[in-house]
Amino acid sequence: MPSNRLSKKTQNFLQSLIFFLSTTVIIICLIIYLWIYTEIDESILALEIQNSTAEEIQNEIYELNSQVESLNRADVIAKKAKNELEMVFTQPETLRIILGYIDN
C-alpha cells in the first residue's frame, strides 16, 4: 500500500505558498482600506469647505439685505439726495379749505 503522506519538500512548498498568498491578501486589503479611508477623508474635507462657503455666502446675503433695508429709509434717501445729487427741498404747501353753508 502506498503512503498518502506528503513529503517534507511538498509540505514546505505548500506552507510557503499559503504564507505568500495570505501576505499578499493582507497587503491588498490594507491598500484597499487606505484608499477608501483617503477617499472618505477627501469627501468630508470637500463637504466642510462647501458648508463654510455656504455660510459665508449666507452671511453676505444677510449683510446686503441689511444694507438695502438701511438705504430704503426716508432720512437716508433725503440725505443722499441733498448731498450727492444736490437737490433742494421746498417748503411743503398747505391748503386751506373753508367749508361754509350756502343760503338760498
Side-chain angles (χ1 to χ4, degrees), residues 56-69:
E56 287 177 13
I57 291 173
Q58 196 67 26
N59 286 338
E60 287 179 17
I61 290 172
Y62 178 74
E63 289 174 3
L64 289 174
N65 284 337
S66 296
Q67 288 177 357
V68 167
E69 288 177 9

Side-chain angles (χ1 to χ4, degrees), residues 59-94:
N59 286 338
E60 287 179 17
I61 290 172
Y62 178 74
E63 289 174 3
L64 289 174
N65 284 337
S66 296
Q67 288 177 357
V68 167
E69 288 177 9
S70 70
L71 290 175
N72 281 336
R73 293 179 41 195
D75 60 334
V76 174
I77 293 173
K79 184 178 178 183
K80 283 199 177 282
K82 185 176 181 183
N83 294 338
E84 293 179 12
L85 301 176
E86 298 177 2
M87 294 179 79
V88 178
F89 293 102
T90 60
Q91 294 295 327
E93 295 180 10
T94 57

Side-chain angles (χ1 to χ4, degrees), residues 10-21:
T10 308
Q11 281 181 350
N12 285 341
F13 176 74
L14 286 177
Q15 286 178 352
S16 298
L17 184 64
I18 290 172
F19 176 76
F20 176 75
L21 288 176

Side-chain angles (χ1 to χ4, degrees), residues 38-54:
T38 304
E39 289 295 320
I40 290 173
D41 193 41
E42 288 175 357
S43 297
I44 290 173
L45 181 63
L47 283 174
E48 289 175 354
I49 290 172
Q50 289 176 353
N51 285 337
S52 65
T53 303

